[in-house]
């Protein structure tokens, strides 16, 4: 349900292709390389999310078929779906959502703002998002360390299911999303400071 | 400052953040965290934030959402909507406004394979609007019918919004999904009646198309849409009969959609990959926002807002209609600015205790909420389905014409809501048979 028509944009855009000072050019280059790394990380996580979605579909379908044809459901399906697949599908896709579509925003009240003010607002918004996601990620990391040390398991019909590995997917998802938000905030800050040379390259600018 | 004051101030702060174009999920999360911190202190607030995302997501019943989204993505990526529209067109062309009527039927059919209104509107818009414009249909009618009929996607199962409502309202997901069937059919029927009456009175709205198709061609077109009844049988039949839970029906439906597309030679590596990515992106989007909404629910509970709302409703509990009208005004206003997911997740923590307090049936209330979310999809200034249609038609139809065309359908929606309020059994009949 994307709202503000977001599409993937280049990591950083500088329409002034020549005449940059070496320092600024180098900074821009580093910036783009960093963003590329985060985009690759988000894509890698998306592969995990897609695989988990496919696995969930096949696992649950097999469970139904086994349940009704052979009166023998696959034990532990419920726990595997909830504890592994769901966690992977959701947390491994949230960073890619921001890279590809952008999380839901309402732009109705800010459409009339001048570019410099809009970019200042974007800097704040992305920074706030980064802080929020960073806090969620940090707390998830503490949880993951604690649960791993405890070897967290869920009890199932036929034994125990290790859950602690999926705690690390939460950390990975929030960490990459934090990086993407932080880069977007930096992009917006650069654009706010120097609107002549840098145009903002957030997801909502590409259409 | 009392907890209640902090609660109400928090809601205002969240709305302000949303208006400042902070992502809705972040606005809900940050505002709620700050509110819980103010009421309970820093450590309890941190404790809520620590455990909530994992606990909320690792839930069997919520897994229906990615499965419904996957089924919908496969169905739309593999081109089922094209066959559906063609079949509806060949069979219904004889009616006044035949193409518009066909679009309504095809959208209702597509809604049964799709969990999202905007996906239904986008798929149908690309097919139906160029056809209607080719035959000189009124532009407002052509765009209006697609934008409005697309909203059936959030009512006819599978529906992501209905699953989310059921989770928040703590009602049976299966019953809630089945409750959407009759209101969805009723809405489509009233749309068709309105189109036929308008086009009969003013034939220039939809010039008669002189096309002859032999019976064999019509049956061939109908035979091509056989996957749809199969998917409907799996999802709605499975849930209604109690054979499958919503997740099982969704997973089986998605697997069936893959197989059908494969046997119809519509499946390719690209279709499979795009469907999976589309389902994951939509899932990530929904859950990131929903995590914020769960935080808001906790914040509201700590602030005592549910009790406050229940107390507020007590004096007018015997004037139930007044309460429904009040809520509908709030939903319509929110729907003018926010997308349906935002409206649903922002309003439920506050609205649910109000209606629970006066003893309303939560399944019935859920369908009323979904109806208002549908209306919000087509009302200015931010009617998301209208924008979807605008992106499909480009410069051919101005935005104002689309909004004007949608006006007639909004009247139909209000008639349906009135019928659902007067005759709640339209909603409750099918779920009552499941108990």
């Amino acid at each position: 349900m994307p709202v503000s028509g977001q599409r993937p944009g280049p990591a950083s855009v500088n329409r002034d292709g020549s005449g940059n000072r070496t320092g600024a050019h180098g900074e821009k280059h580093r910036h783009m390389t960093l963003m590329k790394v985060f985009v690759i990380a988000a894509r890698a996580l998306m592969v995990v999310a897609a695989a988990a979605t496919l696995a969930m579909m096949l696992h649950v379908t097999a469970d139904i078929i086994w349940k009704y044809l052979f009166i023998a459901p696959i034990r532990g399906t419920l726990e595997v779906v909830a504890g592994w697949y769901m966690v992977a599908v959701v947390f491994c896709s949230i960073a890619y959502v921001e890279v590809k579509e952008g999380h839901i925003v309402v732009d109705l009240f800010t459409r009339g703002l001048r570019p410099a003010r809009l970019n200042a607002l974007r800097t704040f918004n992305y920074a706030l998002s980064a802080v929020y996601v960073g806090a969620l990620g940090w707390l998830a990391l503490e949880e993951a360390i604690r649960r791993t040390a405890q070897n967290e398991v869920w009890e199932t019909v036929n034994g125990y299911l290790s859950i602690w590995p999926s705690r690390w997917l939460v950390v990975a998802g929030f960490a990459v999303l934090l990086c993407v938000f932080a880069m977007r905030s930096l992009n917006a800050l650069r654009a706010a400071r120097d609107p002549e040379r840098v145009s903002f390259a957030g997801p909502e600018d590409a259409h | 400052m009392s907890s209640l004051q902090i609660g109400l101030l928090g809601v205002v702060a969240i709305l302000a953040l949303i208006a400042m174009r902070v992502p809705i999920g972040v606005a809900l999360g940050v505002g709620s965290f700050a509110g819980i911190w103010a009421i309970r202190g820093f450590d309890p607030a941190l404790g809520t934030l620590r455990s909530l995302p994992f606990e909320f997501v690792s839930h069997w019943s919520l897994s229906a959402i990615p499965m419904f989204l996957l089924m919908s993505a496969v169905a739309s990526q593999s081109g089922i909507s094209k066959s559906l529209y063609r079949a509806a067109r060949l069979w219904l062309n004889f009616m006044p406004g035949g193409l518009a009527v066909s679009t309504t039927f095809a959208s209702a059919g597509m809604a049964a394979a799709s969990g999202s209104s905007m996906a239904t509107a986008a798929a149908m818009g690309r097919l139906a609007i160029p056809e209607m414009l080719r035959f000189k249909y009124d532009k407002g009618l052509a765009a209006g019918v697609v934008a409005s009929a697309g909203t059936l996607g959030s009512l006819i199962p599978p529906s992501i919004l209905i699953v989310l409502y059921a989770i928040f309202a703590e009602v049976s997901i299966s019953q809630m999904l089945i409750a959407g069937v009759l209101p969805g059919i009723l809405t489509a029927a009233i749309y068709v009646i309105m189109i036929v009456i308008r086009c009969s009175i003013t034939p220039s709205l939809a010039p008669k198309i002189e096309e002859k198709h032999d019976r064999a061609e019509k049956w061939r077109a109908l035979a091509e849409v056989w996957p749809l009844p199969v998917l409907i049988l799996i999802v709605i039949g499975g849930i209604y009969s109690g054979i499958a839970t919503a997740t099982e029906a969704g997973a089986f439906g998605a697997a069936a959609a893959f197989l059908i597309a494969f046997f119809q030679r519509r499946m390719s590596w690209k279709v499979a990959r795009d469907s999976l990515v589309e389902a994951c992106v939509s899932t990530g989007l929904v859950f990131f926002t929903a995590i914020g909404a769960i935080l808001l629910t906790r914040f509201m509970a700590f602030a005592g807002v549910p009790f406050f709302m229940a107390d507020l409703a007590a004096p007018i509990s015997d004037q139930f209609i007044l309460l429904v009208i009040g809520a509908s005004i709030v939903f319509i206003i929110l729907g003018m600015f926010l997308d349906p997911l935002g409206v649903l997740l922002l309003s439920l923590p506050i609205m649910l205790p109000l209606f629970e307090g006066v003893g309303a049936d939560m399944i019935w209330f859920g369908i009323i909420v979904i109806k208002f979310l549908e209306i919000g999809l087509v009302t200015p200034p931010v009617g998301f389905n209208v924008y979807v249609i605008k992106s499909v038609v480009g410069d051919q139809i101005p935005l104002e014409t689309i909004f004007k065309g949608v006006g007639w359908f909004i009247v139909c929606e209000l008639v349906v809501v009135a019928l659902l309020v007067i005759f709640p059994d339209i909603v409750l009949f099918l779920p009552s048979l499941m108990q």
Side-chain angles (χ1 to χ4, degrees), chain A residues 132-155:
Chain A
Y132 171 64
V133 169
L136 286 173
W138 180 257
L139 293 168
L141 175 67
E142 286 183 352
E143 271 303 273
I145 292 169
R146 195 166 67 87
R147 303 285 183 165
T148 305
Q150 291 172 344
N151 192 19
E152 182 189 20
V153 291
W154 280 359
E155 198 172 349

Side-chain angles (χ1 to χ4, degrees), chain A residues 1 3 53 57 61 64 67-68 82 86 90 93 97 103-106 108-110 125 132 142-143 167 204, chain B residues 20-24 29 49-50 54 57-58 63 243 248 251-252 255 280-281 284-285 287-288 337-339 384:
Chain A
M1 267 166 259
V3 172
T53 309
M57 180 191 83
T61 305
I64 307 165
K67 187 160 65 182
Y68 285 106
M86 274 303 284
V90 172
S93 61
V97 173
H103 287 281
I104 306 171
V105 297
V106 174
L108 180 73
F109 304 101
T110 49
N125 290 349
Y132 171 64
E142 286 183 352
E143 271 303 273
R167 296 271 180 185
E204 59 273 78
Chain B
M20 282 167 59
R21 69 184 293 159
V22 172
I24 296 178
L49 215 57
R50 183 190 306 275
F54 185 88
V57 169
S58 56
S63 54
I243 291 174
E248 290 170 342
F252 206 76
C280 289
V281 165
L285 202 68
F287 277 88
F288 185 73
F337 305 104
L338 288 170
D339 88 309
F384 290 99

Side-chain angles (χ1 to χ4, degrees), chain B residues 166-186:
Chain B
I167 298 284
F168 276 81
E170 296 175 354
V171 295
S172 153
I173 294 176
S174 297
Q175 284 189 326
M176 197 62 227
L177 284 166
I178 294 301
V181 174
L182 288 182
I185 294 171
L186 177 69

Side-chain angles (χ1 to χ4, degrees), chain B residues 133-410:
Chain B
L133 295 184
R134 187 157 74 89
F135 289 102
K136 306 271 183 271
Y137 267 50
D138 176 77
K139 287 180 176 176
L141 174 66
V145 68
V146 181
S148 309
T151 63
L152 295 171
S154 46
L155 204 55
I156 297 176
S159 161
I160 305 307
L161 291 176
I162 285 184
V163 174
L164 278 173
Y165 172 87
I167 298 284
F168 276 81
E170 296 175 354
V171 295
S172 153
I173 294 176
S174 297
Q175 284 189 326
M176 197 62 227
L177 284 166
I178 294 301
V181 174
L182 288 182
I185 294 171
L186 177 69
T187 309
I190 289 185
Y191 281 179
V192 168
I193 292 169
M194 183 272 287
I195 293 166
V196 170
I197 291 175
R198 275 190 76 204
C199 294
S200 301
I201 295 170
T202 322
S204 62
L205 284 174
K208 186 89 185 137
I209 301 167
E210 298 302 335
E211 273 184 345
K212 290 279 175 241
H213 299 281
D214 60 37
R215 197 167 281 266
E217 193 183 352
K218 285 183 178 178
W219 282 108
R220 267 202 308 276
L222 200 62
E224 250 185 64
V225 298
W226 66 265
L228 197 74
V230 171
L231 289 179
I232 292 174
L233 194 73
I234 289 170
V235 175
I236 301 181
I239 294 171
Y240 181 70
S241 61
I243 291 174
T245 62
T247 302
E248 290 170 342
F252 206 76
F258 265 108
L259 277 179
I260 289 166
F262 179 76
F263 285 117
Q264 289 195 325
R265 297 182 180 188
R266 288 170 165 167
M267 181 49 68
S268 63
W269 165 242
K270 187 179 179 305
V271 169
R273 189 193 60 195
D274 290 352
S275 304
L276 281 167
V277 170
E278 187 185 320
C280 289
V281 165
S282 303
T283 304
L285 202 68
V286 166
F287 277 88
F288 185 73
T289 312
I291 288 170
I294 290 282
L295 273 168
L296 177 65
T297 308
R298 299 264 173 99
F299 170 36
M300 292 292 100
F302 285 138
V305 171
F307 293 112
F308 171 72
M309 295 304 279
D311 285 348
L312 205 67
I316 53 164
S317 59
D318 51 338
Q319 291 168 302
F320 189 63
I321 296 296
L322 211 65
L323 210 57
V324 174
I325 292 171
S328 62
I329 291 169
V330 173
F331 278 119
I332 288 176
I333 292 173
L334 284 177
M336 286 177 175
F337 305 104
L338 288 170
D339 88 309
L341 183 67
V343 177
L344 185 78
L345 295 179
L346 181 67
S347 62
L348 283 188
I350 299 159
M351 286 284 188
L352 282 174
L354 189 71
F355 279 83
E356 263 171 352
V358 297
D361 187 296
M362 285 293 107
I363 289 181
W364 171 84
F365 179 61
I367 296 300
I368 297 291
V369 171
I370 302 294
K371 283 308 293 180
F372 281 112
L373 297 185
E374 279 187 348
I375 294 172
L377 275 167
V378 288
T379 45
V382 187
F384 290 99
N385 267 18
V386 172
Y387 285 108
V388 167
I389 299 305
K390 179 66 185 160
S391 70
V392 171
V393 297
D395 294 333
Q396 290 179 38
I397 307 176
L399 200 61
E400 302 77 49
T401 310
I402 308 177
F403 275 123
K404 244 183 240 171
V406 157
W408 285 94
F409 294 91
I410 294 178

